[in-house]
Amino acid sequence: MASIDDMSNLDKTGVEHREYGDAKERQNELDRTDTLATAPGTTLESFADLDEKKILRKMDLRLIPMLALLYLLSFLDRGNIGNAKIEGLQEDLKMSADEYNWCLTAFFFTYATFEVPSNLLLKRLRPSRWLPLIMVAWGLVMTLMGIVKGYHGLLVTRLFLGVTEAGLFPGCAYYLTMWYSRHEIQLRQAMFFSAASVAGAFSGLLAFAIAKMDGIGDLEGWRWIFILEGLATIIIAAASFFLLYDFPETATFLTPKEREFVVFRLKYQGRLRGKELGCAPVAQAEDFHWRYVLAAFKDWQIWVNIFVYWGVVCPLYGISFFLPTIIKNLGYSSSTAQLMTVPIYITAAILSVLFGYVSDRVGKRSPFIIAFLLMMIVGFSMCISSTNPRVVYGGVFVVACAIYPAFPGVITWLANNLAGSYKRSSGIALQIGIGNLGGAMASNFYRQKDSPRYILGHGLELAFIGAGLIAALILVIGYNTINKKRDKVIERGGETQFTAAELSAKGDRAVTFRYMI
């Protein structure tokens, strides 16, 4: 429960944001906090008088609800085309099945292209400015999607939607790593990402209600889905300009010492074990250099992790785009199909948060990811092997309940194992950007001519899940091998060959860094 002090601080949100409104003052506060947090002799014991749980609770109250709302809108706006389809979009625009699939696919090309640049801009331009700006842009695009007249209009708006939405999810995932340390972040990523599953449920309910507006203003019901959801995004974006915080160093809801504590934990995370083995702790690099961006593109673990990501994201997009259609093709009406998606998404959201908490408590990522990949295999096997609508619905239910807890785990696992602020920023964006090309592939898995069984679509999903499973095992073996080698180097005093600055510049390749399994 939030304390009275917490809630009173929440009421002063507008004041807090104005306190560091001046750019020079904000930079001075950033420098001051960083200097104190990394001063010689500063250790965890220096902050023994602080209540860590209370600090985390204050951060949770101010960061997670707003981020979850932003992502709910993003996922709602991205996936509502599936709801619009069963309300008549394809027929009204006189599109073929292949043209509809191209509209789904086009989104991901621009979405993947603009993610790395957007994440680099996030820290330079401040989250409280950049994220609301791109939200207004995609809200406008979404609204305009409601007045398109044909295939080419829809295709162009989907391309621009990819450009404008590209920065939100990787930006929020990276933003959370600037506040939370790696042993507590999956719960927060799960709380934030569970908005996607809530969006799935809410999308069905909202589409069911908005479709009743069919004929108002001489517009079809599916057009109102795009228009109203786009306008809601613009309104929330305007509010988020005042409600988002930038960095821990300038967070006025924390005391100066609490800010120093949060920054200290972040700068030395992943290296505390090196300290336990007898070497001096090394702060992670925060300055921007292009070599950190290049290092992300050359890092083997990012490229292997992308296959794990595909093993989760292909089923994710397959479900979000085609779940209403799959259920409708089992013999249910459009309205019933919309409503039958709701319990699937609500259950998935609960499991996502639950297993995020358990994963943080255990301090492991891979066992949960591997277990959920196996669970997806079971679900899709049920779908592909039966013609019974109840079995297929049950299989989809199992798949969704595995996807949504697995997804934040994959994002968190890579973020945990990238050191250096800008390398992490680039690595997360690269993972999500290239990884979301899986959405481009998945949007073509479920062809209309394959209904109602969709054997090809389910089979391709199983293939990607299998590839993700193999990639996850490669990562586990690789991380374990590297950690053991570094332990031996530390035992021989090998870390003394490097200065603190050199170890910091090496990031996760330093002998003092340990990969999370």
Side-chain angles (χ1 to χ4, degrees), residues 79-86 89-90 93 95-106 151 154-155 158 226 320-322 325 443-444 446 448:
N80 59 13
I81 190 170
N83 299 110
K85 178 176 183 271
I86 68 171
L89 173 146
Q90 186 175 330
L93 296 183
M95 293 192 302
S96 67
D98 287 340
E99 286 176 334
Y100 173 77
N101 280 354
W102 267 113
C103 289
L104 299 184
T105 305
Y151 163 63
L154 185 62
L155 183 66
R158 289 288 295 179
F226 292 141
S320 65
F321 285 142
F322 294 100
T325 302
S443 62
N444 291 285
Y446 292 92
Q448 193 165 310

PDB file of all heavy atoms in Angstrom, residues 79-86 89-90 93 95-106 151 154-155 158 226 320-322 325 443-444 446 448:
ATOM      1  N   GLY A  79      -2.758  -3.123 -32.897  1.00  0.00           N
ATOM      2  CA  GLY A  79      -3.462  -4.377 -33.146  1.00  0.00           C
ATOM      3  C   GLY A  79      -4.937  -4.247 -33.458  1.00  0.00           C
ATOM      4  O   GLY A  79      -5.590  -5.241 -33.774  1.00  0.00           O
ATOM      5  N   ASN A  80      -5.479  -3.011 -33.382  1.00  0.00           N
ATOM      6  CA  ASN A  80      -6.923  -2.875 -33.582  1.00  0.00           C
ATOM      7  C   ASN A  80      -7.360  -3.145 -35.022  1.00  0.00           C
ATOM      8  O   ASN A  80      -8.547  -3.281 -35.301  1.00  0.00           O
ATOM      9  CB  ASN A  80      -7.436  -1.508 -33.121  1.00  0.00           C
ATOM     10  CG  ASN A  80      -6.769  -0.345 -33.840  1.00  0.00           C
ATOM     11  OD1 ASN A  80      -6.094  -0.525 -34.857  1.00  0.00           O
ATOM     12  ND2 ASN A  80      -6.949   0.848 -33.296  1.00  0.00           N
ATOM     13  N   ILE A  81      -6.410  -3.255 -35.916  1.00  0.00           N
ATOM     14  CA  ILE A  81      -6.759  -3.574 -37.307  1.00  0.00           C
ATOM     15  C   ILE A  81      -7.378  -4.975 -37.396  1.00  0.00           C
ATOM     16  O   ILE A  81      -8.210  -5.249 -38.258  1.00  0.00           O
ATOM     17  CB  ILE A  81      -5.523  -3.445 -38.230  1.00  0.00           C
ATOM     18  CG1 ILE A  81      -5.947  -3.532 -39.696  1.00  0.00           C
ATOM     19  CG2 ILE A  81      -4.468  -4.500 -37.900  1.00  0.00           C
ATOM     20  CD1 ILE A  81      -4.833  -3.175 -40.677  1.00  0.00           C
ATOM     21  N   GLY A  82      -6.970  -5.861 -36.455  1.00  0.00           N
ATOM     22  CA  GLY A  82      -7.575  -7.191 -36.418  1.00  0.00           C
ATOM     23  C   GLY A  82      -9.040  -7.129 -36.044  1.00  0.00           C
ATOM     24  O   GLY A  82      -9.874  -7.863 -36.602  1.00  0.00           O
ATOM     25  N   ASN A  83      -9.366  -6.243 -35.093  1.00  0.00           N
ATOM     26  CA  ASN A  83     -10.772  -6.063 -34.718  1.00  0.00           C
ATOM     27  C   ASN A  83     -11.557  -5.391 -35.841  1.00  0.00           C
ATOM     28  O   ASN A  83     -12.718  -5.726 -36.097  1.00  0.00           O
ATOM     29  CB  ASN A  83     -10.871  -5.216 -33.443  1.00  0.00           C
ATOM     30  CG  ASN A  83     -10.174  -5.860 -32.264  1.00  0.00           C
ATOM     31  OD1 ASN A  83      -9.133  -5.387 -31.816  1.00  0.00           O
ATOM     32  ND2 ASN A  83     -10.730  -6.942 -31.748  1.00  0.00           N
ATOM     33  N   ALA A  84     -10.914  -4.410 -36.513  1.00  0.00           N
ATOM     34  CA  ALA A  84     -11.588  -3.709 -37.603  1.00  0.00           C
ATOM     35  C   ALA A  84     -11.888  -4.661 -38.764  1.00  0.00           C
ATOM     36  O   ALA A  84     -12.902  -4.514 -39.453  1.00  0.00           O
ATOM     37  CB  ALA A  84     -10.718  -2.544 -38.088  1.00  0.00           C
ATOM     38  N   LYS A  85     -11.015  -5.645 -38.957  1.00  0.00           N
ATOM     39  CA  LYS A  85     -11.190  -6.581 -40.076  1.00  0.00           C
ATOM     40  C   LYS A  85     -12.502  -7.357 -39.963  1.00  0.00           C
ATOM     41  O   LYS A  85     -13.243  -7.491 -40.926  1.00  0.00           O
ATOM     42  CB  LYS A  85     -10.010  -7.550 -40.126  1.00  0.00           C
ATOM     43  CG  LYS A  85     -10.120  -8.600 -41.246  1.00  0.00           C
ATOM     44  CD  LYS A  85      -8.861  -9.454 -41.283  1.00  0.00           C
ATOM     45  CE  LYS A  85      -8.940 -10.462 -42.447  1.00  0.00           C
ATOM     46  NZ  LYS A  85      -9.578 -11.706 -42.072  1.00  0.00           N
ATOM     47  N   ILE A  86     -12.756  -7.861 -38.756  1.00  0.00           N
ATOM     48  CA  ILE A  86     -13.973  -8.676 -38.639  1.00  0.00           C
ATOM     49  C   ILE A  86     -15.231  -7.812 -38.555  1.00  0.00           C
ATOM     50  O   ILE A  86     -16.343  -8.318 -38.570  1.00  0.00           O
ATOM     51  CB  ILE A  86     -13.915  -9.654 -37.435  1.00  0.00           C
ATOM     52  CG1 ILE A  86     -13.947  -8.903 -36.106  1.00  0.00           C
ATOM     53  CG2 ILE A  86     -12.707 -10.547 -37.517  1.00  0.00           C
ATOM     54  CD1 ILE A  86     -14.108  -9.845 -34.916  1.00  0.00           C
ATOM     55  N   LEU A  89     -13.724  -4.089 -42.461  1.00  0.00           N
ATOM     56  CA  LEU A  89     -12.702  -3.239 -43.097  1.00  0.00           C
ATOM     57  C   LEU A  89     -12.302  -3.761 -44.471  1.00  0.00           C
ATOM     58  O   LEU A  89     -12.267  -3.014 -45.454  1.00  0.00           O
ATOM     59  CB  LEU A  89     -11.476  -3.123 -42.185  1.00  0.00           C
ATOM     60  CG  LEU A  89     -10.234  -2.411 -42.730  1.00  0.00           C
ATOM     61  CD1 LEU A  89      -9.510  -1.665 -41.615  1.00  0.00           C
ATOM     62  CD2 LEU A  89      -9.240  -3.390 -43.375  1.00  0.00           C
ATOM     63  N   GLN A  90     -11.984  -5.050 -44.555  1.00  0.00           N
ATOM     64  CA  GLN A  90     -11.466  -5.618 -45.799  1.00  0.00           C
ATOM     65  C   GLN A  90     -12.506  -5.530 -46.920  1.00  0.00           C
ATOM     66  O   GLN A  90     -12.176  -5.167 -48.063  1.00  0.00           O
ATOM     67  CB  GLN A  90     -11.053  -7.076 -45.580  1.00  0.00           C
ATOM     68  CG  GLN A  90     -10.365  -7.713 -46.778  1.00  0.00           C
ATOM     69  CD  GLN A  90      -9.873  -9.124 -46.475  1.00  0.00           C
ATOM     70  OE1 GLN A  90      -9.541  -9.448 -45.341  1.00  0.00           O
ATOM     71  NE2 GLN A  90      -9.831  -9.959 -47.496  1.00  0.00           N
ATOM     72  N   LEU A  93     -13.146  -1.703 -48.035  1.00  0.00           N
ATOM     73  CA  LEU A  93     -12.043  -1.113 -48.812  1.00  0.00           C
ATOM     74  C   LEU A  93     -11.731  -1.932 -50.060  1.00  0.00           C
ATOM     75  O   LEU A  93     -10.792  -1.620 -50.790  1.00  0.00           O
ATOM     76  CB  LEU A  93     -10.790  -0.989 -47.939  1.00  0.00           C
ATOM     77  CG  LEU A  93     -10.886  -0.034 -46.740  1.00  0.00           C
ATOM     78  CD1 LEU A  93      -9.553   0.060 -46.011  1.00  0.00           C
ATOM     79  CD2 LEU A  93     -11.354   1.353 -47.175  1.00  0.00           C
ATOM     80  N   MET A  95     -10.406  -4.896 -50.506  1.00  0.00           N
ATOM     81  CA  MET A  95      -9.052  -5.435 -50.499  1.00  0.00           C
ATOM     82  C   MET A  95      -9.080  -6.952 -50.589  1.00  0.00           C
ATOM     83  O   MET A  95      -9.978  -7.598 -50.035  1.00  0.00           O
ATOM     84  CB  MET A  95      -8.298  -5.029 -49.224  1.00  0.00           C
ATOM     85  CG  MET A  95      -8.008  -3.550 -49.096  1.00  0.00           C
ATOM     86  SD  MET A  95      -6.812  -3.226 -47.758  1.00  0.00           S
ATOM     87  CE  MET A  95      -7.662  -3.941 -46.355  1.00  0.00           C
ATOM     88  N   SER A  96      -8.056  -7.502 -51.238  1.00  0.00           N
ATOM     89  CA  SER A  96      -7.890  -8.948 -51.246  1.00  0.00           C
ATOM     90  C   SER A  96      -7.231  -9.366 -49.930  1.00  0.00           C
ATOM     91  O   SER A  96      -6.723  -8.528 -49.175  1.00  0.00           O
ATOM     92  CB  SER A  96      -7.005  -9.377 -52.413  1.00  0.00           C
ATOM     93  OG  SER A  96      -5.665  -8.923 -52.236  1.00  0.00           O
ATOM     94  N   ALA A  97      -7.221 -10.657 -49.677  1.00  0.00           N
ATOM     95  CA  ALA A  97      -6.590 -11.166 -48.456  1.00  0.00           C
ATOM     96  C   ALA A  97      -5.098 -10.836 -48.430  1.00  0.00           C
ATOM     97  O   ALA A  97      -4.535 -10.476 -47.388  1.00  0.00           O
ATOM     98  CB  ALA A  97      -6.804 -12.681 -48.350  1.00  0.00           C
ATOM     99  N   ASP A  98      -4.446 -10.928 -49.601  1.00  0.00           N
ATOM    100  CA  ASP A  98      -3.013 -10.624 -49.669  1.00  0.00           C
ATOM    101  C   ASP A  98      -2.747  -9.143 -49.411  1.00  0.00           C
ATOM    102  O   ASP A  98      -1.756  -8.776 -48.777  1.00  0.00           O
ATOM    103  CB  ASP A  98      -2.446 -11.019 -51.039  1.00  0.00           C
ATOM    104  CG  ASP A  98      -2.335 -12.531 -51.196  1.00  0.00           C
ATOM    105  OD1 ASP A  98      -2.329 -13.236 -50.158  1.00  0.00           O
ATOM    106  OD2 ASP A  98      -2.269 -13.012 -52.346  1.00  0.00           O
ATOM    107  N   GLU A  99      -3.616  -8.284 -49.907  1.00  0.00           N
ATOM    108  CA  GLU A  99      -3.447  -6.837 -49.671  1.00  0.00           C
ATOM    109  C   GLU A  99      -3.607  -6.512 -48.192  1.00  0.00           C
ATOM    110  O   GLU A  99      -2.870  -5.677 -47.646  1.00  0.00           O
ATOM    111  CB  GLU A  99      -4.458  -6.056 -50.511  1.00  0.00           C
ATOM    112  CG  GLU A  99      -4.116  -6.022 -51.994  1.00  0.00           C
ATOM    113  CD  GLU A  99      -5.186  -5.336 -52.826  1.00  0.00           C
ATOM    114  OE1 GLU A  99      -6.366  -5.331 -52.395  1.00  0.00           O
ATOM    115  OE2 GLU A  99      -4.855  -4.825 -53.912  1.00  0.00           O
ATOM    116  N   TYR A 100      -4.565  -7.165 -47.558  1.00  0.00           N
ATOM    117  CA  TYR A 100      -4.731  -6.956 -46.106  1.00  0.00           C
ATOM    118  C   TYR A 100      -3.464  -7.374 -45.361  1.00  0.00           C
ATOM    119  O   TYR A 100      -2.973  -6.660 -44.478  1.00  0.00           O
ATOM    120  CB  TYR A 100      -5.935  -7.752 -45.594  1.00  0.00           C
ATOM    121  CG  TYR A 100      -6.071  -7.734 -44.084  1.00  0.00           C
ATOM    122  CD1 TYR A 100      -6.577  -6.614 -43.426  1.00  0.00           C
ATOM    123  CD2 TYR A 100      -5.662  -8.824 -43.319  1.00  0.00           C
ATOM    124  CE1 TYR A 100      -6.683  -6.588 -42.046  1.00  0.00           C
ATOM    125  CE2 TYR A 100      -5.762  -8.811 -41.937  1.00  0.00           C
ATOM    126  CZ  TYR A 100      -6.274  -7.691 -41.302  1.00  0.00           C
ATOM    127  OH  TYR A 100      -6.367  -7.670 -39.928  1.00  0.00           O
ATOM    128  N   ASN A 101      -2.900  -8.515 -45.720  1.00  0.00           N
ATOM    129  CA  ASN A 101      -1.682  -8.986 -45.056  1.00  0.00           C
ATOM    130  C   ASN A 101      -0.506  -8.042 -45.305  1.00  0.00           C
ATOM    131  O   ASN A 101       0.340  -7.851 -44.434  1.00  0.00           O
ATOM    132  CB  ASN A 101      -1.331 -10.397 -45.534  1.00  0.00           C
ATOM    133  CG  ASN A 101      -2.168 -11.454 -44.847  1.00  0.00           C
ATOM    134  OD1 ASN A 101      -2.931 -11.146 -43.927  1.00  0.00           O
ATOM    135  ND2 ASN A 101      -2.059 -12.689 -45.284  1.00  0.00           N
ATOM    136  N   TRP A 102      -0.439  -7.433 -46.494  1.00  0.00           N
ATOM    137  CA  TRP A 102       0.613  -6.471 -46.773  1.00  0.00           C
ATOM    138  C   TRP A 102       0.476  -5.235 -45.884  1.00  0.00           C
ATOM    139  O   TRP A 102       1.484  -4.636 -45.466  1.00  0.00           O
ATOM    140  CB  TRP A 102       0.600  -6.071 -48.253  1.00  0.00           C
ATOM    141  CG  TRP A 102       1.530  -6.906 -49.080  1.00  0.00           C
ATOM    142  CD1 TRP A 102       1.204  -7.799 -50.057  1.00  0.00           C
ATOM    143  CD2 TRP A 102       2.955  -6.915 -48.985  1.00  0.00           C
ATOM    144  NE1 TRP A 102       2.326  -8.391 -50.561  1.00  0.00           N
ATOM    145  CE2 TRP A 102       3.437  -7.866 -49.929  1.00  0.00           C
ATOM    146  CE3 TRP A 102       3.892  -6.259 -48.196  1.00  0.00           C
ATOM    147  CZ2 TRP A 102       4.786  -8.148 -50.116  1.00  0.00           C
ATOM    148  CZ3 TRP A 102       5.248  -6.538 -48.357  1.00  0.00           C
ATOM    149  CH2 TRP A 102       5.676  -7.468 -49.312  1.00  0.00           C
ATOM    150  N   CYS A 103      -0.738  -4.839 -45.597  1.00  0.00           N
ATOM    151  CA  CYS A 103      -0.945  -3.697 -44.693  1.00  0.00           C
ATOM    152  C   CYS A 103      -0.434  -4.022 -43.287  1.00  0.00           C
ATOM    153  O   CYS A 103       0.111  -3.149 -42.595  1.00  0.00           O
ATOM    154  CB  CYS A 103      -2.421  -3.312 -44.645  1.00  0.00           C
ATOM    155  SG  CYS A 103      -3.009  -2.533 -46.167  1.00  0.00           S
ATOM    156  N   LEU A 104      -0.622  -5.261 -42.865  1.00  0.00           N
ATOM    157  CA  LEU A 104      -0.069  -5.682 -41.577  1.00  0.00           C
ATOM    158  C   LEU A 104       1.449  -5.692 -41.619  1.00  0.00           C
ATOM    159  O   LEU A 104       2.126  -5.220 -40.706  1.00  0.00           O
ATOM    160  CB  LEU A 104      -0.580  -7.084 -41.219  1.00  0.00           C
ATOM    161  CG  LEU A 104      -2.083  -7.297 -41.055  1.00  0.00           C
ATOM    162  CD1 LEU A 104      -2.346  -8.732 -40.600  1.00  0.00           C
ATOM    163  CD2 LEU A 104      -2.662  -6.319 -40.057  1.00  0.00           C
ATOM    164  N   THR A 105       2.010  -6.224 -42.691  1.00  0.00           N
ATOM    165  CA  THR A 105       3.454  -6.401 -42.815  1.00  0.00           C
ATOM    166  C   THR A 105       4.195  -5.073 -42.908  1.00  0.00           C
ATOM    167  O   THR A 105       5.258  -4.905 -42.308  1.00  0.00           O
ATOM    168  CB  THR A 105       3.765  -7.245 -44.074  1.00  0.00           C
ATOM    169  OG1 THR A 105       3.047  -8.474 -44.006  1.00  0.00           O
ATOM    170  CG2 THR A 105       5.259  -7.532 -44.180  1.00  0.00           C
ATOM    171  N   ALA A 106       3.651  -4.126 -43.662  1.00  0.00           N
ATOM    172  CA  ALA A 106       4.338  -2.854 -43.923  1.00  0.00           C
ATOM    173  C   ALA A 106       4.703  -2.126 -42.636  1.00  0.00           C
ATOM    174  O   ALA A 106       5.762  -1.481 -42.545  1.00  0.00           O
ATOM    175  CB  ALA A 106       3.446  -1.966 -44.799  1.00  0.00           C
ATOM    176  N   TYR A 151      -7.032   0.522 -50.375  1.00  0.00           N
ATOM    177  CA  TYR A 151      -5.840  -0.238 -49.998  1.00  0.00           C
ATOM    178  C   TYR A 151      -4.599   0.638 -49.846  1.00  0.00           C
ATOM    179  O   TYR A 151      -3.886   0.553 -48.834  1.00  0.00           O
ATOM    180  CB  TYR A 151      -5.591  -1.339 -51.043  1.00  0.00           C
ATOM    181  CG  TYR A 151      -4.207  -1.934 -51.009  1.00  0.00           C
ATOM    182  CD1 TYR A 151      -3.746  -2.632 -49.895  1.00  0.00           C
ATOM    183  CD2 TYR A 151      -3.356  -1.805 -52.113  1.00  0.00           C
ATOM    184  CE1 TYR A 151      -2.469  -3.186 -49.877  1.00  0.00           C
ATOM    185  CE2 TYR A 151      -2.084  -2.358 -52.106  1.00  0.00           C
ATOM    186  CZ  TYR A 151      -1.634  -3.035 -50.974  1.00  0.00           C
ATOM    187  OH  TYR A 151      -0.377  -3.568 -50.956  1.00  0.00           O
ATOM    188  N   LEU A 154      -4.617   2.832 -46.705  1.00  0.00           N
ATOM    189  CA  LEU A 154      -4.369   2.055 -45.496  1.00  0.00           C
ATOM    190  C   LEU A 154      -2.902   1.641 -45.408  1.00  0.00           C
ATOM    191  O   LEU A 154      -2.294   1.693 -44.330  1.00  0.00           O
ATOM    192  CB  LEU A 154      -5.262   0.813 -45.475  1.00  0.00           C
ATOM    193  CG  LEU A 154      -5.192  -0.050 -44.211  1.00  0.00           C
ATOM    194  CD1 LEU A 154      -5.644   0.741 -42.978  1.00  0.00           C
ATOM    195  CD2 LEU A 154      -6.039  -1.312 -44.368  1.00  0.00           C
ATOM    196  N   LEU A 155      -2.310   1.266 -46.540  1.00  0.00           N
ATOM    197  CA  LEU A 155      -0.903   0.855 -46.569  1.00  0.00           C
ATOM    198  C   LEU A 155       0.010   1.997 -46.127  1.00  0.00           C
ATOM    199  O   LEU A 155       0.917   1.803 -45.303  1.00  0.00           O
ATOM    200  CB  LEU A 155      -0.528   0.398 -47.982  1.00  0.00           C
ATOM    201  CG  LEU A 155       0.904  -0.127 -48.172  1.00  0.00           C
ATOM    202  CD1 LEU A 155       1.100  -1.430 -47.399  1.00  0.00           C
ATOM    203  CD2 LEU A 155       1.198  -0.330 -49.653  1.00  0.00           C
ATOM    204  N   ARG A 158      -0.292   2.713 -42.388  1.00  0.00           N
ATOM    205  CA  ARG A 158       0.392   1.673 -41.598  1.00  0.00           C
ATOM    206  C   ARG A 158       1.902   1.888 -41.601  1.00  0.00           C
ATOM    207  O   ARG A 158       2.571   1.668 -40.595  1.00  0.00           O
ATOM    208  CB  ARG A 158       0.047   0.289 -42.155  1.00  0.00           C
ATOM    209  CG  ARG A 158      -1.371  -0.153 -41.907  1.00  0.00           C
ATOM    210  CD  ARG A 158      -1.651  -0.517 -40.478  1.00  0.00           C
ATOM    211  NE  ARG A 158      -0.892  -1.700 -40.047  1.00  0.00           N
ATOM    212  CZ  ARG A 158      -0.956  -2.206 -38.816  1.00  0.00           C
ATOM    213  NH1 ARG A 158      -1.715  -1.641 -37.894  1.00  0.00           N
ATOM    214  NH2 ARG A 158      -0.249  -3.265 -38.505  1.00  0.00           N
ATOM    215  N   PHE A 226     -10.766   3.233 -35.271  1.00  0.00           N
ATOM    216  CA  PHE A 226      -9.511   3.952 -35.495  1.00  0.00           C
ATOM    217  C   PHE A 226      -9.589   5.398 -34.999  1.00  0.00           C
ATOM    218  O   PHE A 226      -8.679   5.890 -34.330  1.00  0.00           O
ATOM    219  CB  PHE A 226      -9.165   3.958 -36.994  1.00  0.00           C
ATOM    220  CG  PHE A 226      -8.805   2.615 -37.552  1.00  0.00           C
ATOM    221  CD1 PHE A 226      -9.227   2.246 -38.823  1.00  0.00           C
ATOM    222  CD2 PHE A 226      -8.043   1.714 -36.827  1.00  0.00           C
ATOM    223  CE1 PHE A 226      -8.897   1.010 -39.359  1.00  0.00           C
ATOM    224  CE2 PHE A 226      -7.710   0.479 -37.349  1.00  0.00           C
ATOM    225  CZ  PHE A 226      -8.138   0.126 -38.619  1.00  0.00           C
ATOM    226  N   SER A 320      -2.309 -11.655 -31.661  1.00  0.00           N
ATOM    227  CA  SER A 320      -2.946 -10.337 -31.568  1.00  0.00           C
ATOM    228  C   SER A 320      -3.666  -9.961 -32.864  1.00  0.00           C
ATOM    229  O   SER A 320      -4.718  -9.321 -32.831  1.00  0.00           O
ATOM    230  CB  SER A 320      -1.912  -9.263 -31.211  1.00  0.00           C
ATOM    231  OG  SER A 320      -0.960  -9.108 -32.240  1.00  0.00           O
ATOM    232  N   PHE A 321      -3.106 -10.338 -34.018  1.00  0.00           N
ATOM    233  CA  PHE A 321      -3.736  -9.993 -35.287  1.00  0.00           C
ATOM    234  C   PHE A 321      -4.895 -10.909 -35.659  1.00  0.00           C
ATOM    235  O   PHE A 321      -5.881 -10.472 -36.251  1.00  0.00           O
ATOM    236  CB  PHE A 321      -2.705 -10.041 -36.427  1.00  0.00           C
ATOM    237  CG  PHE A 321      -1.758  -8.876 -36.444  1.00  0.00           C
ATOM    238  CD1 PHE A 321      -0.428  -9.064 -36.782  1.00  0.00           C
ATOM    239  CD2 PHE A 321      -2.187  -7.602 -36.138  1.00  0.00           C
ATOM    240  CE1 PHE A 321       0.458  -7.998 -36.809  1.00  0.00           C
ATOM    241  CE2 PHE A 321      -1.315  -6.524 -36.161  1.00  0.00           C
ATOM    242  CZ  PHE A 321       0.015  -6.730 -36.502  1.00  0.00           C
ATOM    243  N   PHE A 322      -4.761 -12.183 -35.339  1.00  0.00           N
ATOM    244  CA  PHE A 322      -5.688 -13.154 -35.902  1.00  0.00           C
ATOM    245  C   PHE A 322      -6.564 -13.881 -34.891  1.00  0.00           C
ATOM    246  O   PHE A 322      -7.413 -14.671 -35.293  1.00  0.00           O
ATOM    247  CB  PHE A 322      -4.914 -14.184 -36.737  1.00  0.00           C
ATOM    248  CG  PHE A 322      -4.280 -13.579 -37.958  1.00  0.00           C
ATOM    249  CD1 PHE A 322      -2.950 -13.239 -37.976  1.00  0.00           C
ATOM    250  CD2 PHE A 322      -5.043 -13.331 -39.093  1.00  0.00           C
ATOM    251  CE1 PHE A 322      -2.371 -12.672 -39.099  1.00  0.00           C
ATOM    252  CE2 PHE A 322      -4.472 -12.766 -40.223  1.00  0.00           C
ATOM    253  CZ  PHE A 322      -3.135 -12.430 -40.226  1.00  0.00           C
ATOM    254  N   THR A 325     -10.238 -13.449 -35.597  1.00  0.00           N
ATOM    255  CA  THR A 325     -10.594 -14.146 -36.836  1.00  0.00           C
ATOM    256  C   THR A 325     -10.613 -15.656 -36.648  1.00  0.00           C
ATOM    257  O   THR A 325     -11.514 -16.354 -37.130  1.00  0.00           O
ATOM    258  CB  THR A 325      -9.602 -13.770 -37.954  1.00  0.00           C
ATOM    259  OG1 THR A 325      -9.624 -12.353 -38.151  1.00  0.00           O
ATOM    260  CG2 THR A 325      -9.968 -14.460 -39.262  1.00  0.00           C
ATOM    261  N   SER A 443       2.490 -11.819 -39.654  1.00  0.00           N
ATOM    262  CA  SER A 443       1.283 -11.250 -40.261  1.00  0.00           C
ATOM    263  C   SER A 443       0.914 -11.943 -41.561  1.00  0.00           C
ATOM    264  O   SER A 443      -0.187 -11.731 -42.095  1.00  0.00           O
ATOM    265  CB  SER A 443       1.472  -9.740 -40.494  1.00  0.00           C
ATOM    266  OG  SER A 443       2.538  -9.501 -41.398  1.00  0.00           O
ATOM    267  N   ASN A 444       1.827 -12.756 -42.088  1.00  0.00           N
ATOM    268  CA  ASN A 444       1.530 -13.519 -43.310  1.00  0.00           C
ATOM    269  C   ASN A 444       1.377 -15.015 -43.048  1.00  0.00           C
ATOM    270  O   ASN A 444       1.214 -15.791 -43.990  1.00  0.00           O
ATOM    271  CB  ASN A 444       2.651 -13.293 -44.336  1.00  0.00           C
ATOM    272  CG  ASN A 444       2.656 -11.881 -44.874  1.00  0.00           C
ATOM    273  OD1 ASN A 444       1.824 -11.516 -45.693  1.00  0.00           O
ATOM    274  ND2 ASN A 444       3.587 -11.067 -44.394  1.00  0.00           N
ATOM    275  N   TYR A 446      -1.048 -16.496 -41.230  1.00  0.00           N
ATOM    276  CA  TYR A 446      -2.448 -16.945 -41.184  1.00  0.00           C
ATOM    277  C   TYR A 446      -3.195 -16.430 -42.410  1.00  0.00           C
ATOM    278  O   TYR A 446      -3.810 -15.370 -42.390  1.00  0.00           O
ATOM    279  CB  TYR A 446      -3.102 -16.489 -39.880  1.00  0.00           C
ATOM    280  CG  TYR A 446      -2.521 -17.199 -38.678  1.00  0.00           C
ATOM    281  CD1 TYR A 446      -1.454 -16.661 -37.977  1.00  0.00           C
ATOM    282  CD2 TYR A 446      -3.015 -18.436 -38.267  1.00  0.00           C
ATOM    283  CE1 TYR A 446      -0.891 -17.324 -36.893  1.00  0.00           C
ATOM    284  CE2 TYR A 446      -2.468 -19.103 -37.196  1.00  0.00           C
ATOM    285  CZ  TYR A 446      -1.410 -18.543 -36.506  1.00  0.00           C
ATOM    286  OH  TYR A 446      -0.854 -19.205 -35.448  1.00  0.00           O
ATOM    287  N   GLN A 448      -6.012 -16.348 -45.352  1.00  0.00           N
ATOM    288  CA  GLN A 448      -7.459 -16.547 -45.337  1.00  0.00           C
ATOM    289  C   GLN A 448      -7.846 -17.886 -45.970  1.00  0.00           C
ATOM    290  O   GLN A 448      -8.782 -18.555 -45.531  1.00  0.00           O
ATOM    291  CB  GLN A 448      -8.127 -15.390 -46.078  1.00  0.00           C
ATOM    292  CG  GLN A 448      -9.638 -15.312 -45.865  1.00  0.00           C
ATOM    293  CD  GLN A 448     -10.182 -13.969 -46.302  1.00  0.00           C
ATOM    294  OE1 GLN A 448      -9.673 -12.929 -45.918  1.00  0.00           O
ATOM    295  NE2 GLN A 448     -11.208 -13.984 -47.132  1.00  0.00           N
TER     296      GLN A 448
END
